[in-house]
Amino acid sequence: MDPAKEYAECPARGKCPVFLAMSSGTVRFAPSSLGPALEGNLGEQPWDTDSQPHPDEGHPPPLEAAPVPWKSLGPCKSHRESPGGLAETPGGEEAQGVEGPAATRLDVSRLRSSSMEIREKGSEFLREELHKAQKELKLKDEECERLSKVREQLEQELEELTASLFEEAHKMVREANMKQAASEKQLEEARGKVDATLFAEFQAWKESPTLDKTCPFLERVYREDVGPCLDFTMQELSTLVRAAVEDNRLTIEPVASQTLPAVKVAAIECGRTNTCALSGLVCACRHRIRLGDSESHYYISPSSRARITAVCNFFTYIRYIQQGLVRQDAEPMFWEITRLRKEMSLAKLGFFPQEA
């Protein structure tokens, strides 16, 4: 920018010493703006801007107008240029100085308001979380209390069941002891009533078991039990049956419901399914007997089957004793033989199980 134009447009041209010097054609440097060395060398002297100094003189070269920003050298209160070339008035600075504290107070107030709002929201969130935690804790306490009641109930039921089982066990033991005592008492009474002769005959037979009918023990059993039990109406067939039982060669089979095959014609010839071959009684015959390896079959009634079965059971037991398969004392063996003799007596009288 042209200095003259700037001087003409500057409102402080009548007051600034620099502009006064330029208007008079004399350049004066303010002592307050230049250093002492320049002040002593230059002094106050007229400077013709059109003349050129000689090189050999000791004076500095003349100042030339350069396109640099204009800046006052003296203390000019009415004009101040910022480094960017813009003028700032003292009024703007004073306005900024006045508005600074108010803006700061406003920002602080806003910060405080925001802080209070955040604190209230945080407190509300924490209260909600605390309420949820308390509610969950209450539910867990209720569940624990319920489970505790269930456990107490189960423990009580278990104790009652245990007590009941112990009581039942003790009751069963007492009943068993009472039954054992009664059985022992009956055994003692029976021992007192047993014929000493029969027991002596059995002990003598037990010393050397045999199936010979001439020994006193078996001779008595044959005479009192076996003979009468196998004494049927049909004497010839009864003799064959008795011999087969003694030799363990008799077979008893159930009668099938289906039609008999042709190979069993011999069995049909020996009797009919509605007539007993031993007693001659007309009845439903659900079993038949076969003697040894013969192909002949004889239909028998339930009563005849029960009598034959009772005698077979007796001979089976004395064979076990003879073979050494029964490992008991003499008394238990004697009582078992007595029971088997009782079954033969009952079958002879017509008492037999219904399934026979």
Side-chain angles (χ1 to χ4, degrees), residues 73-135:
L73 300 178
C76 180
K77 297 181 179 179
S78 62
H79 182 271
R80 184 178 298 173
E81 186 178 357
S82 62
L86 297 177
E88 297 180 359
T89 58
E93 295 179 356
E94 292 178 1
Q96 292 180 358
V98 173
E99 293 178 358
T104 302
R105 287 192 297 270
L106 181 60
D107 293 340
V108 171
S109 176
R110 290 178 178 176
L111 288 175
R112 289 179 179 175
S113 177
S114 300
S115 177
M116 291 295 293
E117 185 178 358
I118 293 172
R119 186 179 301 175
E120 290 178 358
K121 290 183 178 180
S123 300
E124 184 178 359
F125 175 76
L126 291 177
R127 283 193 297 269
E128 293 178 356
E129 292 296 325
L130 179 60
H131 180 69
K132 291 180 180 179
Q134 290 177 349
K135 188 175 181 180

Side-chain angles (χ1 to χ4, degrees), residues 29 34 37-43 45 47-48 51-64:
F29 295 93
L34 299 176
L38 292 179
E39 183 179 359
N41 292 331
L42 295 178
Q45 57 182 356
W47 188 3
D48 189 0
S51 62
Q52 297 293 332
H54 295 284
D56 55 342
E57 296 184 34
H59 301 284
L63 297 176
E64 295 180 359

Side-chain angles (χ1 to χ4, degrees), residues 120 174 229 236-237 268 285 332:
E120 290 178 358
R174 287 194 301 268
C229 196
E236 184 179 357
L237 184 59
I268 298 175
C285 299

Side-chain angles (χ1 to χ4, degrees), residues 180-195 331 335:
Q180 183 179 0
S183 300
E184 291 177 355
K185 183 178 180 181
Q186 292 177 359
L187 180 60
E188 292 295 333
E189 293 176 354
R191 284 176 180 176
K193 297 178 182 179
V194 170
D195 191 348
E331 278 190 25
W335 288 113

